[in-house]
Amino acid sequence: MATFTWIGNGSGNWSVAANWSPAGGPPDTGTDAAVLTGGTSAYAVAILGPITVGDVLLNDPLATLDVNAGLVLAGDITGNGTVDVGGGATLAVTASVSGITLGFVDLSNGKAAEIDLAQPNSVTAPIQNLEGFDTVDLQGFFLTGTSYVNDVLTLTNAIGSVTIDVVPRLPDLFFPAQLLVSEDDAGDTTVTVRPAPCFLRGTRIATPSGWAAVESLRPGDLVTLAGGGTAPVVWIAHRGVACDIHPRPKQVWPVRILRDAFGPGEPCRDLYLSPDHAVFAEDVLIPVKHLLNGSSVTQEPFDSVEYFHVELPRHDVLLAEGLPVESFLDIGDRSCFDNAGVVVAAFPDFSLIWEAAGCAPLCVTGAAIDAVRDRLRRRVKVARPGGARTPVLKGVRRGGRLEPEPSCG
C-alpha cells in the first residue's frame, strides 16, 4: 500500500503525477491512499477520468474534491473537506464516510450524477444539493421512515438516519418536482428527483375536434392519443415559474424543438417543453433535455414561463403540436403543482411502479437514445424554425415578446 500526499500548490488535476508526493503518484489503485491537507486558501482537486483509490484523508476544510467522472473509494474517506459530484459522474464509497460533506454540483451539462454509499449510516453530514435525476443509493438501508421539512429529506432505518438537502426552492416560483424514495428487496434505498414534465402555455394538444391550447383543456375533455383512440382529461396542472430569479435557471428554461425536427410534421410547429418532459420515440420515453443538440433541439432563456400538464386516466402518449409526448404520471401525489414544495412519494420499488403504471420505459442512456439523436442529426438541415409561440403565450423571452406563427394542422 502506498500513501501519496497532495502537493499541487492549490487547485489541480488528480491524475497529474507532479501534484503528488512521493514520486510514483497519482494514487489510482484500490490499495493506494491519498492525503489532502494543510491548504492556506480554498482549492479544488479535479477528477476528470475514472479513478479507483483506497483510503482518502481529506482533512482540510478549504479543500474540495471535484468528481467529474467515476470515482470508486475502496477504503474509508475521512476528514472535514467537501466532495462534489458533477453531472454525469458517479461517486461510489465502498467503506465509511466520516466528517466529509458529500454533495452534487450543477455543471449545466444536463446530465445526472450519482452517489452510492455502502455504509450510509456512517455519513454524518447532510448530502447536499440533490436535483433533477440525481440519485443517492443507500445500500443495505432498510427504510423505516421518511420526513421532508424545509427542503431537507430525512431517511430513517433501525440504526439511525441520513439527511439529504434538496436544491432550495423559491416559494410559488420553484419548478414543481417529485422526490422519489424507493426500496428494493435487498434493503437498498434509492432517492432521486424527477421534475414534473410540462408544456408551455399556448402549446396545442390534438383532440378529436382539432387543436386545443393546453390551458383551455378541462377535466372530461377528450384528447387524441398517439397510438390511436382518445382519452378524457382527468386533471390539468399548472405552475408559474420566475426563471430570472431561479437559483439554477437551466433547470426550468423550456426546451424548443424546431418544426419537423423528428420528421415531417413532428412537430408541425415549434414545440416548447419543460426540460424533463419525455418525448416518445423508439418505443421509449426520453426526457427532452437528453436530446439537446444545439440546433433543432435547444434550451431557450425565458424570464418567466407558465407551465401546464395533462393527466389522463393512465399514463399515456398524446400529441403536442403533432409530436408524441407523455402525459402526467401520478406517482402518488399531484399536489406538487398546487404548492411550492417537493413531494415525497415513497414506494416499495419505484422501478416496479414505473413498470406497472408507466406507458413505456423511461430512457436516459443506451441504444434507443443514440438512435433518436442520430435521427435528429440527419434532419437538422430540414428542421426549420416554425415561428415563435402563439399570441396566447404569456412567457416573455429575453429580448422581446414572442411573435405569432403560422397555423399548422
Side-chain angles (χ1 to χ4, degrees), residues 289-341:
K289 71 181 182 182
H290 293 285
L291 299 175
L292 293 170
N293 60 15
S295 52
S296 61
V297 184
T298 58
Q299 193 161 32
E300 301 291 321
F302 278 69
D303 291 329
S304 63
V305 292
E306 188 173 6
Y307 279 123
F308 290 77
H309 206 89
V310 180
E311 184 180 7
L312 305 177
R314 64 181 182 88
H315 193 224
D316 218 320
V317 179
L318 43 75
L319 295 169
E321 306 292 2
L323 187 69
V325 297
E326 67 171 327
S327 66
F328 180 76
L329 173 60
D330 181 12
I331 58 169
D333 197 334
R334 301 179 305 180
S335 62
C336 59
F337 281 90
D338 297 329
N339 58 52

Side-chain angles (χ1 to χ4, degrees), residues 85-89 103-107 109-115 127-137 164-165 167 178-180 190-195 248 251 276 289-290:
V85 184
F104 298 94
V105 60
D106 179 23
L107 295 184
N109 61 6
K111 297 180 179 179
E114 184 170 339
I115 296 176
I127 298 171
Q128 305 285 332
N129 298 327
L130 183 72
E131 57 179 316
F133 276 107
D134 289 339
T135 299
V136 177
D137 184 27
I164 300 173
D165 289 348
V167 171
Q178 294 163 320
L179 185 56
L180 310 176
T190 300
V191 182
T192 191
V193 176
R194 189 189 182 214
R248 296 183 180 181
Q251 292 182 353
D276 289 281
K289 71 181 182 182
H290 293 285

Side-chain angles (χ1 to χ4, degrees), residues 95 99 113 169 201 220 241 262 265 285 299 326 365:
R169 69 178 188 267
R201 172 181 277 270
V241 182
F262 283 78
L285 287 166
Q299 193 161 32
E326 67 171 327
T365 60

Side-chain angles (χ1 to χ4, degrees), residues 71 73 208 268:
L71 173 61
L73 297 179
C268 65

Side-chain angles (χ1 to χ4, degrees), residues 168-176 200 238-254 300-307 340 394-398:
R169 69 178 188 267
L170 298 175
D172 298 322
L173 301 173
F174 185 65
F175 193 67
L200 216 58
H238 64 91
R239 166 71 67 187
V241 182
C243 310
D244 55 347
I245 60 173
H246 192 282
R248 296 183 180 181
K250 285 192 175 183
Q251 292 182 353
V252 294
W253 284 340
E300 301 291 321
F302 278 69
D303 291 329
S304 63
V305 292
E306 188 173 6
Y307 279 123
K394 290 186 177 178
V396 177
R397 185 160 49 201
R398 296 184 190 277

Side-chain angles (χ1 to χ4, degrees), residues 268-290:
C268 65
R269 65 178 186 177
D270 293 357
L271 172 63
Y272 290 75
L273 302 174
S274 63
D276 289 281
H277 201 135
V279 173
F280 182 74
E282 297 294 322
D283 296 321
V284 298
L285 287 166
I286 303 172
V288 70
K289 71 181 182 182
H290 293 285

